[in-house]
Amino acid sequence: MATNLVEQVRQAGVVGAGGGGFPTHIKLEATADTVIANGAECEPLLHKDAAVMEREAAFVVRGMQLAMDAVKAPTGIIGIKAKNRHAVEAIQAACAGTPVRVQLLGDYYPAGDEYDLVHEATGRLIPPGGIPLNVGVLVCNVETFVNIAAAAAGRPVTHKTLTIAGAVREPVTLTVPVGTSLRDCIAAAGGAPVPDPVLCIGGMMMGETTDDLDRSVTKTTGGAILLPREHHAIERKLKPVAVQNAIGKSACDQCRYCTEYCPRFLLGYAVEPHQVMRSLAFTATGAEHWNDWAALCCSCGLCTLYACPEDLFPKEACDQSKVEMRRASVKWSGPATVKPHPMRDGRRVPIKTLIKKLHIAHYDHPAPWQPREVLPRRLVLPLKQSAGSANRAIVRPGDRVVAGQPLGEVPAAALGAVLHAPLAARVVEVTDQHIALEPA
């Protein structure tokens, strides 16, 4: 059963649907005593996971049970924010009579961080630099479990559910073919009433900022938030790295707010963004490894977008430091013991407070799932949509493909996930980066 499911999930191209994109079949080859479905969804304005749980609760639980059988776990836990009442009710009903239970979570950021979620659900602390499997836990996004259930029934990943919110006329959650442009999704949300919108793909806090509305929806796209280019948060995100570093080097007064609000620091890990900022004054800015205090940072962005009273960029400094550490093959060698901070609960940042700080309260509206069929004239599918290797195209321009047909392959020994045609179409372009289709 386990081996069969692993192969089904591999052939179906299932990856982490919450944004991480790790090929799921690799996780299912492990052994764990607990399986956790991450439905925390803590990015402001996004509602994708809640919509998935409301609509497909039975498939979430079915996928969890399949995963539990595969990894030999007797316990299943679904983490949901208590505020998502309809999702909670649907999931609790689906859990009845199964070994899966619900863990209600508070409405704070970042409740969806794996380290935080595992601790809340099990009381266990992942070792520094480790993964949930180090403490016997397998964690996947709720939509990933839906895709596991589909894979077991022979259906590959061809569509993605995502929220379109922010400066759009009608915030909405949609399910669209993979490869659909975000421009088409925005049109399905009534369009953008601002002249020069910028996208935060994946969310305001941890997402990628771009003005390219023609970017494709991939297997990991959880949502996109549109904001005017002149919005304060967008102006900050678009500052060049050299400018961010220069501002930090001249203005950081070592107040420690970035560290004192850091969720990993409060959980007991040796993450101290203020120390990373301090090293701006002592190193060639951005040119070499700074210090180990960034190594365990989860890049949640809370330090930059909430904690810093001077609008500096500690998260970005930590990101640069981690890049340089990886380049130099520097591994974590600091403290191995973890003890939560006594003020942890009192320093959690409520989502409503974060929304006010980000100046997006004006855009804080429901974005319910709608059965709108988005039929793009062209689909562009990146060959790399997961951790690991890109696909090698196995189709050519002019080929006709049917829904669910593999478009690429990943070497047997390589990490990666197979790409499939979302619908019947004609292949119009194949490059080393993508495959373009025109629906038949």
Side-chain angles (χ1 to χ4, degrees):
M1 170 65 180
T3 302
N4 185 42
L5 180 68
V6 169
E7 184 58 21
Q8 288 173 319
V9 169
R10 187 184 75 82
Q11 292 288 350
V14 182
V15 305
F22 192 83
T24 304
H25 66 278
I26 301 296
K27 289 187 175 183
L28 296 179
E29 292 177 318
T31 299
D33 60 47
T34 304
V35 171
I36 296 179
N38 189 345
E41 191 164 47
C42 50
E43 278 277 357
L45 308 187
L46 297 190
H47 303 275
K48 182 270 290 186
D49 287 342
V52 166
M53 290 185 286
E54 286 181 36
R55 294 184 57 246
E56 303 185 88
F59 292 103
V60 174
V61 175
R62 173 59 178 158
M64 286 193 70
Q65 290 180 288
L66 289 167
M68 290 162 64
D69 288 343
V71 301
K72 301 178 174 58
T75 302
I77 303 171
I78 304 178
I80 317 173
K81 288 188 173 181
K83 72 170 185 178
N84 294 322
R85 181 169 55 86
H86 296 303
V88 171
E89 291 171 354
I91 289 291
Q92 285 179 330
C95 287
T98 76
V100 182
R101 66 173 177 85
V102 169
Q103 174 75 39
L104 295 179
L105 305 170
D107 190 24
Y108 59 88
Y109 182 84
D113 176 35
E114 282 188 339
Y115 279 49
D116 192 288
L117 179 60
V118 167
H119 181 62
E120 287 297 301
T122 69
R124 303 173 193 174
L125 289 162
I126 298 169
I131 59 175
L133 284 170
N134 295 143
V135 291
V137 179
L138 183 148
V139 181
C140 292
N141 179 262
V142 288
E143 190 180 4
T144 304
F145 286 112
V146 171
N147 290 337
I148 290 173
R155 299 191 303 275
V157 178
T158 58
H159 286 65
K160 187 72 180 73
T161 299
L162 74 162
T163 296
I164 304 295
V168 292
R169 290 185 173 86
E170 185 183 355
V172 66
T173 299
L174 304 163
T175 301
V176 303
V178 172
T180 301
S181 75
L182 287 168
R183 188 184 298 276
D184 287 333
C185 296
I186 293 163
V194 295
D196 191 14
V198 176
L199 283 172
C200 294
I201 302 175
M204 287 283 296
M205 301 300 291
M206 299 184 71
E208 179 185 356
T209 305
T210 178
D211 57 7
D212 181 7
L213 305 188
D214 292 314
R215 288 282 292 274
S216 297
V217 173
T218 70
K219 296 179 183 182
T220 63
T221 308
I225 296 171
L226 268 77
L227 290 174
R229 184 176 293 272
E230 65 271 16
H231 190 281
H232 179 62
I234 295 300
E235 288 181 342
R236 295 195 65 208
K237 286 175 173 288
L238 293 179
K239 274 187 171 44
V241 170
V243 175
Q244 295 176 0
N245 289 342
I247 294 171
K249 186 171 184 176
S250 65
C252 180
D253 60 9
Q254 291 292 288
C255 72
R256 283 187 60 102
Y257 275 107
C258 57
T259 293
E260 296 299 334
Y261 273 104
C262 171
R264 288 282 178 93
F265 172 78
L266 293 171
L267 202 51
Y269 297 91
V271 184
E272 298 195 10
H274 79 283
Q275 300 235 45
V276 182
M277 292 295 286
R278 181 186 301 173
S279 58
L280 279 168
F282 300 113
T283 63
T285 301
E288 57 189 56
H289 162 56
W290 298 358
N291 65 48
D292 287 359
W293 293 104
L296 304 178
C297 164
C298 64
S299 298
C300 73
L302 202 59
C303 53
T304 290
L305 294 172
Y306 181 83
C308 181
E310 299 184 33
D311 273 1
L312 305 183
F313 301 89
K315 178 261 187 186
E316 289 72 14
C318 288
D319 286 347
Q320 294 170 61
S321 185
K322 287 186 291 184
V323 167
E324 297 302 334
M325 290 171 70
R326 284 193 294 269
R327 192 171 292 154
S329 299
V330 176
K331 304 292 186 182
W332 173 251
S333 60
T337 56
V338 184
K339 182 180 179 181
H341 194 288
M343 294 295 292
R344 174 172 174 261
D345 291 345
R347 290 187 188 166
R348 284 176 171 161
V349 176
I351 293 294
K352 289 292 185 183
T353 304
L354 181 58
I355 284 174
K356 290 179 182 178
K357 177 71 173 182
L358 291 171
H359 305 291
I360 55 173
H362 176 69
Y363 303 111
D364 186 19
H365 304 295
W369 186 85
Q370 297 287 347
R372 296 176 189 169
E373 190 172 23
V374 179
L375 294 174
R377 288 178 293 179
R378 182 182 175 93
L379 298 171
V380 178
L381 292 91
L383 289 168
K384 180 174 170 57
Q385 299 192 23
S386 70
S389 300
N391 277 244
R392 183 183 67 82
I394 57 174
V395 293
R396 295 179 297 178
D399 287 353
R400 296 278 178 174
V401 296
V402 298
Q405 178 178 329
L407 299 176
E409 61 182 10
V410 178
L415 183 69
V418 179
L419 190 63
H420 300 80
L423 36 75
R426 181 172 65 91
V427 180
V428 294
E429 184 180 30
V430 177
T431 73
D432 59 354
Q433 299 294 317
H434 67 256
I435 296 172
L437 308 175
E438 287 184 355

